[in-house]
Amino acid sequence: MTGDASEIVLSKRDLREVAAFAAACAEAVLEIFEADQPDDSRPRDAISAAWEFARGGERGKSLRDTASAALKAAKSADTAAAREAAWAAMSAAASAYLHPLAKATQVKHILGAGAYAARAAELIAGDDRNVGAEHLEQTVHRATPVVVDVLKRLPVAPSGGGRVGELIRMLDADLRSLTFAE
C-alpha cells in the first residue's frame, strides 16, 4: 500500500441499509423545507428515490437526478434551516453512492443526512445546539446493526466542515460506541 485508501466490501444490502437510514434522517426534517417552499417537491422526491432504492429499486439515474435537484432546491430556500433540510434530502439520495474506499471522507455519505437534519432542527429552534444534540440521539436510534457495521469499516470522520462537520463527528462517535447483541 502506498498510502492510498484500501477498498472495503460493500454489498447491495449494505448500501440499501445506508440509504434507508439516510432517508429516515432526512424525512424527519422534510417539513422544515416544505414549510419554506410548499410548492417544491424536489427534496421529497430525493427522499422517495432513496427509499425506493432501499426497498429493492435500482441504483441509477433517478437517485443522481433527484439528489442534484434537491441540491438546487436548497439554493432556492428562503431560510438556512430549509436549506439544511434540502441538503439532508440530497444526502439521502446520494447515500446509495457510498464508495467502497476506506477513506474518512466517505463517512459523510453515511452520516450526512443525519447531520444536515440535526443542523436544520437546530436552526429552526433559533440555533439551539441542545436541539441538535437531541436530534442526534434520535438519529442514533435509527441506525441498524448493518449501518453501524458499514460505518466501522471506515476511518473516523474527518475534521472540518463547520457545524455540520461537528455534528457528523458527534454522530460518528456515538454510532461507533454502539454494540448490538448477537
Side-chain angles (χ1 to χ4, degrees), residues 118-175:
R119 184 64 181 139
E122 282 180 349
L123 289 170
I124 204 73
D127 205 9
D128 185 341
R129 290 185 176 214
N130 290 324
V131 169
E134 290 169 10
H135 195 87
L136 288 184
E137 283 182 39
Q138 296 167 5
T139 301
V140 167
H141 293 296
R142 288 187 186 100
T144 65
V146 171
V147 170
V148 173
D149 177 63
V150 171
L151 179 65
K152 288 180 176 181
R153 294 182 217 165
L154 299 170
V156 297
S159 61
R163 179 63 179 153
V164 170
E166 185 179 337
L167 290 163
I168 286 173
R169 288 185 296 281
M170 292 166 62
L171 185 54
D172 186 35
D174 289 347
L175 289 173

Side-chain angles (χ1 to χ4, degrees), residues 51-75:
W51 277 121
E52 184 177 325
F53 170 71
R55 293 178 177 137
E58 290 304 311
R59 186 174 81 159
K61 188 172 177 356
S62 173
L63 285 162
R64 288 189 299 275
D65 290 350
T66 59
S68 177
L71 180 61
K72 290 176 184 165
K75 294 176 183 175

Side-chain angles (χ1 to χ4, degrees), residues 41-113:
S41 68
R42 294 175 292 181
R44 179 174 291 281
D45 295 343
I47 294 167
S48 293
W51 277 121
E52 184 177 325
F53 170 71
R55 293 178 177 137
E58 290 304 311
R59 186 174 81 159
K61 188 172 177 356
S62 173
L63 285 162
R64 288 189 299 275
D65 290 350
T66 59
S68 177
L71 180 61
K72 290 176 184 165
K75 294 176 183 175
S76 70
D78 291 331
T79 66
R83 183 175 54 249
E84 299 287 340
W87 282 337
M90 178 271 304
S91 293
S95 69
Y97 288 96
L98 173 66
H99 299 293
L101 300 174
K103 292 177 68 172
T105 53
Q106 291 302 306
V107 171
K108 190 171 184 181
H109 280 288
I110 301 171
L111 305 181

